[in-house]
Amino acid sequence: MYLGSLAHDEELILVALGVGMAASGTILLSALPSAAIVYMTAILIPSAIKCLVFLNHKGYVLLGVLALSYWWFLAALIAKITREVKDRKHNTDIALKESEARLQEALTAGKVVAFSWDPSTGWSHRSGNATPDPRFRTAGRRSSAGRGLPGVLASG
């Protein structure tokens, strides 16, 4: 670390670069909270320790306190982002389950069956309300005799 061995103006530039690196890297890594914490800790804490413990000048103490406060700010930001991502995922899961339940209700009320078919593989999937048809295997398996959609339309 160059703190304490450079001119005061150069040290301020060095600290500004360190804080900028910590901020931008932490924000970019915020999707991986543990990586973001390690990254910002590796940049900010050594500077803070050197300023607070090894350099006894008033300006360095302020820089050390600034580095620590910035570390706490970024830690709180990571915690907030992590909480928001978790809440958003939870809400999305709930909405997906509700949507699936509404789809099943609509399929049952309309006495229809939803299905998908991949013509390149011949694999088909029918909705849960479909009655078993001995001519076709269950969802996720190849339709009987590999006929796929043409076989379904012809048997209807």
Side-chain angles (χ1 to χ4, degrees):
M1 303 249 343
Y2 294 105
L3 289 177
S5 62
L6 298 174
H8 186 66
D9 293 343
E10 292 172 341
E11 288 178 343
L12 288 177
I13 292 171
L14 184 64
V15 169
L17 286 173
V19 168
M21 283 180 13
S24 61
T26 300
I27 298 303
L28 290 174
L29 288 171
S30 63
L32 304 167
S34 58
I37 296 285
V38 168
Y39 180 81
M40 71 180 197
T41 299
I43 292 175
L44 293 173
I45 297 300
S47 298
I49 289 173
K50 186 165 186 179
C51 287
L52 294 171
V53 177
F54 298 113
L55 302 173
N56 292 326
H57 188 269
K58 181 180 178 182
Y60 291 109
V61 171
L62 292 175
L63 287 176
V65 170
L66 176 67
L68 288 177
S69 67
Y70 202 66
W71 188 94
W72 282 108
F73 166 75
L74 290 173
L77 185 64
I78 292 168
K80 178 184 180 289
I81 290 171
T82 302
R83 191 171 42 254
E84 287 175 353
V85 167
K86 187 183 289 187
D87 290 346
R88 190 177 316 132
K89 184 183 180 314
H90 177 71
N91 292 339
T92 301
D93 290 345
I94 289 172
L96 182 62
K97 288 177 185 176
E98 290 172 354
S99 176
E100 178 64 26
R102 286 191 306 271
L103 173 63
Q104 291 303 320
E105 285 179 20
L107 291 172
T108 302
K111 297 181 184 179
V112 294
V113 175
F115 71 94
S116 62
W117 177 62
D118 184 355
S120 63
T121 62
W123 291 72
S124 63
H125 176 76
R126 297 187 315 164
S127 59
N129 68 326
T131 57
D133 188 336
R135 297 174 293 172
F136 300 100
R137 294 186 182 152
T138 59
R141 296 190 180 150
R142 189 178 296 274
S143 59
S144 67
R147 294 184 298 177
L149 187 60
V152 172
L153 295 176
S155 67

